[in-house]
Amino acid sequence: MTAVTQHFIERDDGARVELFLSSPPATTNGAILFVHGNQGGLLLGGKEFADNGSLVRFSSRLGITAAAVSQPGFGASGGPADFCGPATQHAIIAALAFLQQQPMVDPDRIVLYGNSRGAVASAMVATKIQTLRALILSSGVYDLRDAYERSSRGLQQTIKTESGATDRAFSDRSALHDAQRITAETLLLHGVNDDRAPVDQAERFSAALAKAGVPVSLHRLDAGHRLAGQLVMPFLKDFLTRIFRPAVTLH
């Protein structure tokens, strides 16, 4: 019986990182790490994926280890939140390192999947970790300064409060400028009507990855910032089934 367990690990600065994990009972395969978005102020962190059944579903149907990390300031991870910045990126890196050490995980077959602000941080992690098998990013921003200048006042205030909105802060959160350092095959999912992360962010990032020789596919979906499961699942099913082949496909 596949179950979800809660773990606490440490970032490189000693801060606590919360991680939820679901592994199949007797299969050594790859792993997928989910990185959540803003969550509408609920601050559930990785628990969102445990509560909605995603971890068990992905783990059991694909025969992989499925995990979800809580960003700083979310769930039981140490804060404060830093809007996808170094602390958040180091939390994700610590979670990836933990997965690589698990006996049920093939360290060469780990997929990182970030949504919204989780996509911003995950894209930056992919510029630093070249051992990822694949990268999935949905509704993300890859040039934060450009997105900041086009954002609502409320979102601008959140970014400024958490990051400082300095030149260094924007640079530390803008994977577009370091696309040539990414090696993982990348799947981009983005709503054409996204009012928080304009679709041209994904288009520009996709072009930069392709120019750098990274295998990349971009799917523009008829949606806003939030992408419904029925829209993204066909793309995820095809992508992940191939990445983790042989495996049972999602339904």
Side-chain angles (χ1 to χ4, degrees):
M1 179 67 179
T2 303
V4 176
T5 55
Q6 183 186 36
H7 303 263
F8 292 101
I9 57 179
E10 289 186 355
R11 294 194 322 237
D12 54 0
D13 62 358
R16 185 168 74 169
V17 177
E18 181 183 46
L19 184 71
F20 293 86
L21 193 74
S22 178
S23 295
T27 303
T28 300
N29 201 335
I32 186 168
L33 177 65
F34 293 95
V35 187
H36 61 83
N38 191 45
Q39 302 181 319
L42 296 177
L43 305 181
L44 294 174
K47 189 173 184 292
E48 173 187 358
F49 298 92
D51 290 349
N52 67 20
S54 292
L55 296 185
V56 169
R57 184 167 63 253
F58 276 77
S59 177
S60 61
R61 294 183 181 177
L62 285 167
I64 62 172
T65 295
V69 63
S70 299
Q71 298 179 43
F74 291 79
S77 284
D82 70 340
F83 202 85
C84 321
T88 299
Q89 294 165 35
H90 289 160
I92 297 170
I93 290 171
L96 291 170
F98 178 83
L99 287 176
Q100 288 179 321
Q101 296 166 3
Q102 301 311 298
M104 303 300 292
V105 174
D106 179 345
D108 295 322
R109 303 181 78 191
I110 296 179
V111 175
L112 180 59
Y113 184 172
N115 174 61
S116 189
R117 68 190 285 161
V120 179
S122 295
M124 286 302 303
V125 167
T127 70
K128 302 170 181 177
I129 303 296
Q130 278 70 47
T131 56
L132 291 172
R133 172 61 184 87
L135 179 66
I136 303 173
L137 305 171
S138 64
S139 305
V141 161
Y142 313 105
D143 180 347
L144 186 58
R145 181 186 294 278
D146 175 74
Y148 177 84
E149 292 174 350
R150 299 159 65 183
S151 294
S152 66
R153 288 187 178 181
L155 183 52
Q156 284 184 339
Q157 186 58 49
T158 297
I159 295 172
K160 187 173 184 178
T161 298
E162 292 189 22
S163 75
T166 62
D167 289 344
R168 177 63 181 271
F170 288 130
S171 176
D172 285 345
R173 296 161 175 82
S174 299
L176 177 68
H177 308 307
D178 289 309
Q180 73 281 358
R181 298 173 61 186
I182 295 177
T183 59
E185 181 176 352
T186 302
L187 171 65
L188 297 171
L189 304 168
H190 214 102
V192 295
N193 301 312
D194 194 328
D195 60 347
R196 296 187 183 183
V199 68
D200 70 283
Q201 287 272 331
E203 292 169 342
R204 292 167 57 206
F205 191 46
S206 178
L209 289 172
K211 183 177 180 181
V214 177
V216 57
S217 56
L218 166 62
H219 296 282
R220 303 168 183 83
L221 306 177
D222 186 14
H225 188 65
R226 180 178 292 275
L227 303 180
Q230 64 266 28
L231 284 179
V232 303
M233 191 55 67
F235 304 107
L236 292 179
K237 181 172 65 174
D238 291 345
F239 187 77
L240 291 174
T241 298
R242 177 172 56 80
I243 293 296
F244 293 120
R245 186 178 292 128
V248 179
T249 59
L250 293 173
H251 298 289

